[in-house]
Amino acid sequence: MTSDNNNPTVDNSPSFQYLWFQLFLYTLISSLFVHGIAAVIGFVSLRKHEKAKFYPLLILLSGVLGPLTGGAITCAIIAGIYKSGEFYMTPLNAIIWGFGHTTLHVIVAFTRILATL
């Protein structure tokens, strides 16, 4: 599409797939970062344990599966809202949304709020 400031019918907004991929990428990166740190701490703490020394691999697995399932769905919802509302998403907005996903996940995990429901 060409940029034409005189023609209001030209759509200059990014595509849904582009918005979704930006959000998904930052959600995946932030989740891998947080779960990677947790896994390193787990490997160091459990290195001498006979049975649980490989448990941190499950932490890494959950760091990948979370964004691939729930993260992908919520990123699609946010991208759909931005696209249908014709909002412009800057890369900083995508970073904030991506790290916000992970922050909310960490808060829910540490407070165990789901266990009280």
Side-chain angles (χ1 to χ4, degrees):
M1 289 182 206
T2 61
S3 176
D4 187 7
N5 293 334
N6 296 329
N7 188 357
T9 60
V10 175
D11 185 18
N12 289 331
S13 64
S15 68
F16 171 80
Q17 291 84 8
Y18 179 75
L19 293 173
W20 176 82
F21 184 71
Q22 275 189 324
L23 291 167
F24 176 73
L25 187 65
Y26 287 118
T27 302
L28 182 65
I29 289 170
S30 63
S31 181
L32 286 176
F33 178 73
V34 169
H35 286 85
I37 290 173
V40 167
I41 292 171
F43 277 125
V44 169
S45 300
L46 298 171
R47 70 182 179 273
K48 293 182 182 178
H49 196 278
E50 183 179 323
K51 296 180 183 174
K53 69 172 101 177
F54 296 111
Y55 179 73
L57 290 175
L58 294 175
I59 295 173
L60 283 176
L61 184 64
S62 72
V64 173
L65 289 180
L68 288 179
T69 55
I73 293 169
T74 55
C75 289
I77 292 169
I78 294 169
I81 291 170
Y82 268 78
K83 185 65 179 170
S84 66
E86 296 179 1
F87 300 121
Y88 183 73
M89 180 181 292
T90 63
L92 181 62
N93 286 353
I95 291 170
I96 291 170
W97 277 110
F99 281 87
H101 274 97
T102 302
T103 303
L104 187 61
H105 178 74
V106 168
I107 289 170
V108 168
F110 273 111
T111 59
R112 297 185 46 89
I113 196 162
L114 290 178
T116 62
L117 296 178

